[in-house]
């Protein structure tokens, strides 16, 4: 089917989807994609992985072999177009997202795209507009972006508390984003685009407003910092409503995966991310201690969030809906990160350039 035919209204008929399982193609089966294939196969109901695609054929074959009935389709665009594929999960490197998400919109197929939506704000905005056009014709939305923290039970509880007025008017938030280690190619720009981006989405989600300006400060760097990298970074977001969010992003702590968020309101404050699961007390020569474990990386810390995210994505796709952060959220995050990278380089407060929302994005 050509783009013109799709635009003319020859949309795939998903009417029978609720009666059967959603047939999903997973594009990109590196660490995250392979994790999602295993999750869809073993923990998510109402879906089956029918195809995988990856630039490394051997890897695709290995992953496909773990799921009965799953095929390898070499060309990701062919996987999107395949008549036996109802919905697409994109976990390819970011530079391929624009073309792949657009192909999903043109085919009318629900898509869950890992962040980033695309590599720059302008191309993310183009996807927002393409989906708007589709929605105006069909009444349906298609695009979800993989900001999984919104599905984490702790974040969901914090959001519900704020929305119920439990903290009074939220004024300030403090975020810490710490990784034990990152690969040697991880630059300061990547700290903004890959790590701080989650705090961007958290701030927008919890405070329900856009980020208007970003400042980035570079404290003394750790001896573990990758060459040329400023690690840690301190990032300040100013929201359109005058609230402020500070973020400590520290990606080579040598410790574990620590993600904390504290929201301070007029009538109280609340914090999440203390990893307080099992609290252990022990004695010893140095004296008694009370301790808890720390998750080694985001797959453990947010495992439950990924499960909930995928189950809700599948359930919503079978109803012809989207139930999570959409293309607009992906675009807004890219616009803030672009300002963040500019602020990192210039050392100056940088305003976020965000186009008017318009269209059908809600
Ligand atoms: C990685 O890409 C992620 O998305 C993780 O959630 C984040 O914590 C990490 O810093 C990023 O590199």
């Amino acid at each position: 089917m050509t783009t013109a035919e799709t635009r003319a209204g020859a949309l795939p008929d998903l009417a029978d989807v609720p009666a059967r399982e959603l047939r999903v193609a997973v594009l990109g089966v590196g660490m995250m994609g392979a994790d999602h294939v295993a999750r869809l196969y073993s923990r998510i109901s109402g879906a089956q992985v029918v195809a995988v695609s990856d630039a490394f054929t051997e890897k695709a074959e290995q992953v496909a072999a773990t799921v009965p009935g799953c095929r390898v389709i070499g060309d990701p665009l062919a996987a999107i177009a395949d008549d036996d594929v109802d919905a697409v999960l994109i976990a390819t490197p970011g530079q391929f997202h624009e073309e792949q998400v657009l192909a999903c919109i043109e085919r009318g197929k629900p898509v869950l795209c890992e962040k980033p939506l695309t590599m720059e704000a302008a191309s993310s905005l183009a996807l927002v507009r393409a989906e708007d056009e589709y929605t105006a014709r069909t009444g349906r939305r298609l695009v979800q972006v993989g900001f999984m923290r919104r599905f984490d039970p702790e974040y969901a509880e914090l959001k519900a508390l704020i929305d119920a007025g439990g903290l009074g008017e939220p004024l300030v938030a403090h975020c810490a984003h710490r990784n034990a280690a990152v690969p040697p190619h991880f630059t300061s720009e990547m700290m903004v685009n890959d790590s701080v981006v989650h705090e961007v989405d958290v701030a927008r989600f919890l405070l329900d407003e856009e980020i208007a300006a970003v400042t980035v400060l570079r404290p003394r760097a750790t001896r573990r910092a990758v060459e040329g990298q400023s690690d840690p970074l301190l990032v300040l977001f100013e929201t359109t409503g005058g609230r402020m969010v500070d973020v400590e992003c520290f990606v080579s702590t040598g410790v574990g995966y620590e993600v904390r968020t504290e929201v301070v309101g007029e009538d109280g404050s609340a914090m999440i991310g203390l990893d307080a699961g099992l609290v252990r007390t022990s004695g010893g020569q140095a004296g008694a201690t009370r301790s808890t474990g720390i998750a080694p990386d985001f797959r453990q810390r947010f495992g439950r969030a990924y499960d909930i995210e995928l189950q809700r994505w599948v359930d919503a796709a079978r109803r012809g809906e989207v139930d999570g952060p959409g293309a607009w959220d992906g675009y807004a995050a890219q616009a803030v990160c672009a300002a963040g990278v500019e602020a990192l380089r210039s050392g100056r407060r940088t305003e976020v350039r965000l186009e008017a929302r318009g269209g059908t994005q809600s």
Side-chain angles (χ1 to χ4, degrees), residues 31-32 114-115 146 148-149 177-179 181-183 186 190-191 193-199 249-251 257-259 297-299 302 306:
M31 181 181 70
M32 211 56 242
E114 280 297 343
K115 58 92 185 157
M148 76 297 188
R149 290 200 198 168
H177 184 138
R178 301 190 191 136
N179 294 73
V182 284
F186 209 83
M190 290 174 77
M191 288 171 69
N193 287 323
D194 277 2
S195 305
V196 175
V197 65
H198 284 291
E199 312 306 327
C249 180
F250 189 2
V251 296
Y257 190 64
E258 297 173 273
V259 168
D297 75 29
F298 52 89
R299 282 169 303 170
F302 290 113
Y306 288 121

Side-chain angles (χ1 to χ4, degrees), residues 11 16 39 54 68 71 76 80 95 106 113 117 133 135 163-164 192 210 226 251 254 270 309-310 319 330 332 345:
L11 301 168
D16 61 331
R39 173 170 287 113
D54 197 282
R71 292 184 287 151
I80 294 169
Q95 66 266 31
E106 289 178 350
C113 179
L117 177 57
E133 209 183 294
T135 307
D163 288 355
V192 174
E210 296 298 352
V226 166
V251 296
E309 174 189 47
L310 258 66
R319 297 192 305 267
R345 291 181 184 150

Side-chain angles (χ1 to χ4, degrees), residues 34-103:
D35 221 47
H36 283 324
V37 169
R39 173 170 287 113
L40 283 164
Y41 178 52
S42 58
R43 294 202 286 285
I44 305 300
S45 62
Q48 68 184 115
V49 182
V50 293
V52 295
S53 182
D54 197 282
F56 297 98
T57 315
E58 228 174 87
K59 177 75 186 162
E61 277 162 2
Q62 257 172 34
V63 173
T66 63
V67 180
C70 177
R71 292 184 287 151
V72 173
I73 304 183
D75 175 3
L77 297 180
I80 294 169
D82 198 285
D83 284 341
D84 290 333
V85 167
D86 300 316
V88 180
L89 193 159
I90 298 179
T92 50
Q95 66 266 31
F96 301 113
H97 292 184
E98 180 183 356
E99 182 184 44
Q100 293 170 355
V101 174
L102 188 62

Side-chain angles (χ1 to χ4, degrees), residues 311-346:
Q311 188 64 66
R312 281 179 49 185
W313 175 63
V314 166
D315 293 347
R318 295 175 81 202
R319 297 192 305 267
E321 294 170 9
V322 172
D323 179 21
W328 179 265
D329 300 297
Y331 160 62
Q334 280 313 100
V336 176
C337 287
V341 168
E342 214 177 304
L344 171 79
R345 291 181 184 150
S346 70

